[in-house]
Amino acid sequence: SGHGGDRPIFMGSMHRPVLRGIAAVFAVALLVAILRPVPRVRLDLWPTDHMRATTYTDSGFGGSSKARLEQLPGRLRFDWKLEACSTCVPFMGLLLEPHPKRLLDLSRFDSLELEWESDLGTPLRVILLTNEPGFTHPDKPLTRRYLQIERAPAIEHTTTVLPLSQFNVPAWWFRETGHIMNPEYRPLDRVEAFAFEAGESVHPGAHDVVRLKAIRATGPGNRPHWSALLLLVAAGCLIGSFFPRKQAPTSPVPEKTSDASPSPVP
């Protein structure tokens, strides 16, 4: 029974390595969670059941440019030709807008991804049309703020990444509307539609066919919430290993007493 009193002391000395081992395991798991790439969030814009595709041309202004759409399995075929116009600046385009009409919030995304290809690789302007309360008027389409960037689709199917930070307001928009506003103002939380038009450098007579497979908005993902839990558990185990384990009180072992000597026998 004298050796039984040493057992709590042995158990108390063992709890520190155990806690530190647990802390090391959780620390390694936390490091893996931090170094592991975070999947990017994405929003599919096309094809979806809530997006409608239409075309527009300069025919209402005396022009003769052409634009034709054809829905193929898994892609949209956009056949266009820019023709000279004596009474207007020639234009044509493909318009993608939510149906029924609503505003899209792209403020939490940083890029637009296009899966597309073309026959000739003619440059196109990719346009975001945004809505500004108090300024945008449905009967005046040019009052919508234009954010645009110019890219040439590859001849073979590819994915083109367009950073939203590189979309700019064209100079003609300020001249057309007379609206003086900070060009850095970017209402990406109020996107009304997407458009594709012939690029600034494209001359009348140009013709191309674009096949559009997908449009999506992408942005940085968030670290999983359980990584914070790993950090707390690892820190708790590490801190707990520096404190001695509380031992249960033990009753003192009574000293052994020798029996009284017998009285001498007379």
Side-chain angles (χ1 to χ4, degrees):
S1 62
H3 295 289
D6 295 338
R7 187 173 181 181
I9 299 176
F10 173 76
M11 294 293 290
S13 63
M14 284 295 293
H15 91 289
R16 295 184 181 184
V18 171
L19 286 179
R20 289 176 182 173
I22 295 174
V25 172
F26 279 96
V28 171
L30 177 63
L31 184 62
V32 172
I34 293 175
L35 296 180
R36 184 179 180 182
V38 179
R40 291 175 63 83
V41 295
R42 53 184 287 176
L43 173 64
D44 292 327
L45 301 169
W46 175 269
T48 65
D49 295 334
H50 306 292
M51 192 71 73
R52 180 176 59 184
T54 56
T55 61
Y56 57 91
T57 68
D58 52 21
S59 59
F61 300 88
S64 56
S65 297
K66 299 176 180 60
R68 187 168 65 90
L69 281 179
E70 183 181 0
Q71 181 67 58
L72 300 176
R75 64 192 60 199
L76 187 67
R77 185 177 185 272
F78 176 43
D79 187 343
W80 63 269
K81 185 175 183 180
L82 197 65
E83 298 285 6
C85 179
S86 59
T87 59
C88 66
V89 177
F91 66 89
M92 60 78 228
L94 164 65
L95 183 68
L96 296 172
E97 56 184 344
H99 181 71
K101 289 188 176 182
R102 60 188 177 91
L103 297 178
L104 300 174
D105 186 357
L106 302 186
S107 59
R108 62 192 182 100
F109 301 97
D110 60 16
S111 300
L112 201 66
E113 292 185 359
L114 305 179
E115 289 189 38
W116 60 353
E117 64 184 14
S118 68
D119 287 351
L120 302 175
T122 308
L124 290 176
R125 284 177 289 180
V126 182
I127 304 171
L128 306 181
L129 299 172
T130 66
N131 182 293
E132 296 184 47
F135 182 75
T136 301
H137 302 288
D139 57 334
K140 298 179 180 179
L142 290 181
T143 61
R144 295 188 294 187
R145 178 174 286 263
Y146 285 61
L147 300 174
Q148 68 183 37
I149 189 173
E150 187 168 316
R151 285 292 185 275
I155 296 179
E156 296 182 355
H157 177 267
T158 187
T159 298
T160 302
V161 179
L162 306 176
L164 291 176
S165 60
Q166 296 182 9
F167 281 71
N168 298 313
V169 181
W172 65 259
W173 186 86
F174 294 100
R175 296 193 303 266
E176 182 73 26
T177 62
H179 190 45
I180 301 176
M181 184 180 287
N182 183 1
E184 298 299 322
Y185 175 59
R186 307 166 57 79
L188 292 175
D189 58 334
R190 306 184 64 82
V191 175
E192 274 192 332
F194 305 88
F196 298 85
E197 293 184 357
E200 299 280 357
S201 59
V202 177
H203 300 290
H207 171 241
D208 204 349
V209 176
V210 179
R211 285 168 290 276
L212 181 64
K213 183 177 181 181
I215 304 177
R216 69 183 67 93
T218 63
N222 297 321
R223 293 286 174 187
H225 298 295
W226 48 263
S227 60
L229 180 61
L230 290 176
L231 177 62
L232 291 177
V233 173
C237 292
L238 187 61
I239 294 174
S241 68
F242 288 98
F243 293 91
R245 183 178 178 182
K246 186 177 180 181
Q247 302 175 8
T250 57
S251 56
V253 179
E255 297 181 359
K256 292 184 178 180
T257 56
S258 58
D259 297 335
S261 300
S263 303
V265 179

